[in-house]
Amino acid sequence: MADTHQLTSNQRMADALLSGLEDDPTTLEEFLTAGQRRGLGYEGIAKELYGRTGGVVSLSYTTVKRWLIDFGIVEEAS
């Protein structure tokens, strides 16, 4: 994870759920990075996260955008 970024409680929950997956464990940062690299939009990443966590993590596209910025995966527009 980014050195200076402290996870929020929701990010910690998502990270724990993703890290605990039996079929393909990953961190939240790795999951977000992979979605971005595959060209998924914010809504696509949100839908995939919802599915991967069994419907436990439900995010808006704006939250996904914020998280991508938090992790330094995308830059915030000025």
Side-chain angles (χ1 to χ4, degrees), residues 15-68:
D15 189 67
L17 289 168
L18 290 168
S19 296
L21 295 174
E22 289 186 24
D23 61 337
D24 187 22
T26 187
T27 66
L28 176 58
E29 184 176 13
E30 291 167 346
F31 177 85
L32 294 171
T33 300
Q36 181 72 14
R37 284 189 182 147
R38 290 194 336 265
L40 292 177
Y42 305 135
E43 182 121 357
I45 293 172
K47 287 180 180 179
E48 189 170 292
L49 183 59
Y50 181 81
R52 295 275 306 179
T53 61
V56 174
V57 180
S58 179
L59 304 176
S60 69
Y61 73 92
T62 55
T63 300
V64 172
K65 180 180 178 181
R66 171 57 45 206
W67 286 11
L68 289 168

